[in-house]
Amino acid sequence: LTMNNAAALYFKDEFNQSTESAAAIASIFGWMNLFARGMGGYFSDRANARLGMRGRLWVQTILLACEGSLILVFANTGTLAGAIVVMIFFSLFVQAAEGSSYGIVPYIDPPCTGSISGIVGAGGNVGAVGFGLAFRQLPYREAFAIMGCTIIASSFTSIFVHIKGHSGLLCGKESPEEQYRARPQSAGPQKGAAEMDCVTEAPEDSLLSSEDADSQSQSKTNESIETDPESEQSDGVIEV
């Protein structure tokens, strides 16, 4: 939110852009939301499948650290083209970190997921207000430096995140239930399909075997009738 408010003014004041041009350049930051946030959630899911909650925490930590570092680079970029390129990558990490955060939220307290999501979203607004005050009172470079260092420092707070039943960033283990939930679900349907194949194949085999048995018994009956004409004649003589 801070970048959405400050980026246009930054490009206008630091690179002598018109209001229209500065606004158009700053809008690139918001356009990254179309896919970058989902990308962060995807990486979080993939890491969770391999490492459980520890994977999600590592993804968030790395994204936050890269985000803060790119803010410092952005503040010290002296050319317009370079600043735009750095801002694009910076925006990618910002939105991806947001997606990874909401990948962790549902595990904190499942019955209260809605409330926790609201608190997380409100925290972003509070941070935007605080950084906005810094941009009003300080030069751009100093304000960006404070924001970048704060984000880098916040990435290390993932060490203190411990969710019941889940592993932490550096220690702890997943509970058996959570390990089962974290498994890829693609193996389940395949196993079920194999079992269904066995179930569907078994009746066919039994039907074939019963048909074979019926045909064999019928052939034996026919053979016995064909091979015993004398017995029929003898029976007829006795009756007479």
Side-chain angles (χ1 to χ4, degrees), residues 124-214:
N125 294 327
V126 172
V129 172
F131 290 132
L133 294 174
F135 276 90
R136 290 185 60 183
Q137 302 296 329
L138 299 172
Y140 287 114
R141 181 169 295 181
E142 294 182 13
F144 278 124
I146 291 174
M147 186 165 65
C149 292
T150 302
I151 295 173
I152 293 174
S154 68
S155 67
F156 291 99
T157 61
S158 298
I159 298 174
F160 305 104
V161 176
H162 292 281
I163 301 173
K164 184 178 179 181
H166 299 276
S167 59
L169 186 68
L170 300 176
C171 59
K173 294 182 179 180
E174 298 282 328
S175 64
E177 295 180 358
E178 299 302 333
Q179 289 179 356
Y180 177 78
R181 292 178 183 176
R183 292 177 183 175
Q185 298 299 321
S186 59
Q190 293 178 358
K191 183 177 180 181
E195 293 176 352
M196 289 300 294
D197 291 340
C198 295
V199 172
T200 54
E201 288 177 359
E204 293 179 359
D205 295 338
S206 61
L207 289 173
L208 291 174
S209 61
S210 62
E211 291 177 358
D212 293 339
D214 293 340

Side-chain angles (χ1 to χ4, degrees), residues 17 25 51 57 94 100 103 134 139 149 176 184 188 224 237-238:
Q17 297 295 305
I25 295 171
L51 301 174
L57 292 174
V94 171
S100 68
C149 292
S224 62
V237 171
I238 293 171

Side-chain angles (χ1 to χ4, degrees), residues 3 5 35 48 54 83 91 97 101-102 112-113 118-119 134 145-146 178 180 184 193 199 211 230:
M3 282 299 298
N5 296 328
F35 65 93
N48 179 67
R54 180 170 297 160
S91 180
S101 297
Y102 283 99
C112 301
T113 300
I119 294 172
I146 291 174
E178 299 302 333
Y180 177 78
V199 172
E211 291 177 358
E230 296 179 356

Side-chain angles (χ1 to χ4, degrees), residues 80-113:
L80 177 61
I84 293 174
V85 172
V86 174
M87 186 187 68
I88 291 174
F89 285 99
F90 161 54
S91 180
L92 288 175
F93 282 101
V94 171
Q95 320 306 340
E98 293 175 357
S100 68
S101 297
Y102 283 99
I104 298 172
V105 165
Y107 295 88
I108 297 174
D109 190 1
C112 301
T113 300

